[in-house]
Amino acid sequence: MTTPAAYRVSHLDALEAESIFVMREVVAELERPVLLFSGGKDSIVMLRLAQKAFAPGRIPFPVMHVDTGHNFAEVLEYRDRRVVELGLQLVVASVPEALESGLVRESADGMRNRIQTPVLLAAVEKYRFDALFGGARRDEEKARAKERVFSFRDDFGQWDPKNQRPELWSLYNGRHHPGESIRVFPLSNWTELDIWHYIARERLALPSIYYAHEREVIERDGMLYAVNEFIAPRGGEVPFTERVRYRTVGDASCTAAVRSVADSVELVIEEVAATRITERGATRGDDRVSEAAMEDRKREGYF
């Protein structure tokens, strides 16, 4: 006789099952979903979940990258290789092209995260996407903690944090009118540590930037920025070589590294388990603009 204990599933199995359920709900309810894929660890996990959700068939939606033009080379190489391996359609919403067309203007500080929003919204309108899978998690940042799994956006792509749909008993509401859309976050209940445990369990390859390596950096506002074509030393800043890794990847002009000796998945898990600073708090200069920086961007239509 099988005992009740035999039916127990692991913490990761439960998270995986919930995320797969969410993805299948979206494909069943909405017409033109797309998965936001930057080559970052969370979107890499999302691709694995999508593979499992629709196996043995192919992933039934394209992936989209909002390309700021300020990319880490390792991440772009990974993005393109993974898209070919999985036979995916890649949509690139290009910030450099939007700058050239006049849709957006370069900000004074050189950071391009904020000007991604109009580029993202233009791509949503052009391709008539009505559901956008994002890899955001509630543990990342307080504005993201407010988001529902199905997060409604009006026909301007805007989010109202005070007017969200209830999600009782995991019942999701994907109803919308033409022009409106739903942002979907299947990883909402995951933590950074869950992501790394899943990467280890599934043996997922990541861009090398996630593991400790030597890089020339400068220290600015208490964070370590790589010296590259987007970040040049200012007066008084002296470049030095440090062993670092990236906890998150994004626009190279505002994404910082952390000191680390973790050059394997196992060591990264140990490091993440011991840290007391969130990955965005430790590495994202754009989130330090104000206390409500992320929420302000999300209201405007950011990821």
Side-chain angles (χ1 to χ4, degrees):
M1 181 177 176
T2 305
T3 64
Y7 290 101
R8 289 179 184 169
V9 296
S10 72
H11 177 60
L12 281 185
D13 286 334
L15 289 172
E16 179 188 70
E18 179 187 59
S19 299
I20 287 174
F21 170 73
V22 169
M23 287 187 167
R24 289 173 175 167
E25 278 290 294
V26 169
V27 170
E29 285 191 45
L30 293 117
E31 294 182 359
R32 297 180 67 83
V34 67
L35 188 151
L36 297 168
F37 180 61
S38 63
K41 66 183 186 310
D42 300 304
S43 55
I44 290 168
V45 166
M46 294 267 285
L47 274 186
R48 169 65 87 185
L49 294 167
Q51 281 183 285
K52 290 192 173 187
F54 304 104
R58 295 172 58 179
I59 296 173
F61 38 75
V63 297
M64 179 164 68
H65 181 207
V66 182
D67 182 352
T68 64
H70 288 176
N71 300 293
F72 293 99
E74 305 94 315
V75 180
L76 269 194
E77 185 277 330
Y78 180 95
R79 180 201 72 180
D80 293 340
R81 175 163 46 83
R82 197 70 183 124
V83 163
V84 171
E85 288 172 352
L86 296 178
L88 298 171
Q89 177 193 353
L90 172 65
V91 175
V92 176
S94 171
V95 172
E97 289 180 9
L99 285 165
E100 196 171 320
S101 71
L103 175 65
V104 294
R105 297 176 62 182
E106 197 85 71
S107 61
D109 58 15
M111 298 182 188
R112 289 184 173 176
N113 263 359
R114 186 147 200 155
I115 60 175
Q116 287 182 86
T117 301
V119 183
L120 169 67
L121 297 181
V124 170
E125 183 176 359
K126 177 180 178 181
Y127 294 98
R128 295 185 293 112
F129 293 131
D130 58 3
L132 285 76
F133 289 109
R137 309 184 317 270
R138 290 189 174 117
D139 76 324
E140 288 182 76
E141 197 274 340
K142 56 191 176 186
R144 290 187 162 175
K146 295 180 182 178
E147 290 257 37
R148 297 288 195 265
V149 175
F150 274 38
S151 186
F152 174 77
R153 297 295 197 273
D154 65 19
D155 53 0
F156 298 103
Q158 295 174 331
W159 175 61
D160 181 357
K162 295 182 180 176
N163 185 23
Q164 300 194 73
R165 296 171 174 179
E167 293 181 338
L168 304 176
W169 306 291
S170 298
L171 295 175
Y172 303 115
N173 183 352
R175 291 183 181 178
H176 64 285
H177 295 108
E180 299 170 342
S181 61
I182 305 290
R183 303 289 172 82
V184 185
F185 303 109
L187 303 181
S188 288
N189 293 327
W190 297 53
T191 66
E192 183 184 11
L193 195 56
D194 294 328
I195 292 292
W196 279 103
H197 277 298
Y198 194 73
I199 288 167
R201 190 184 86 171
E202 300 293 312
R203 301 178 185 275
L204 299 179
L206 296 186
S208 57
I209 197 172
Y210 277 110
Y211 300 108
H213 56 282
E214 290 192 344
R215 192 177 279 255
E216 187 178 35
V217 297
I218 55 169
E219 186 159 359
R220 179 179 297 170
D221 299 328
M223 294 193 286
L224 298 175
Y225 289 96
V227 177
N228 52 43
E229 60 184 302
F230 316 115
I231 292 280
R234 297 171 183 166
E237 293 177 338
V238 180
F240 58 99
T241 300
E242 184 64 83
R243 193 162 179 78
V244 298
R245 73 174 194 86
Y246 286 79
R247 289 177 68 182
T248 180
V249 299
D251 188 297
S253 61
C254 59
T255 303
V258 295
R259 288 185 175 86
S260 175
V261 296
D263 57 4
S264 68
V265 175
E266 292 74 20
L267 291 176
V268 171
I269 288 173
E270 288 182 18
E271 185 179 273
V272 172
T275 189
R276 293 294 177 266
I277 304 175
T278 67
E279 63 188 81
R280 292 197 70 90
T283 66
R284 300 302 286 266
D286 52 328
D287 287 346
R288 297 189 174 190
V289 173
S290 74
E291 279 290 311
M294 174 62 82
E295 182 160 328
D296 290 343
R297 291 203 301 275
K298 291 180 81 68
R299 283 173 181 267
E300 296 166 359
Y302 190 69
F303 304 108

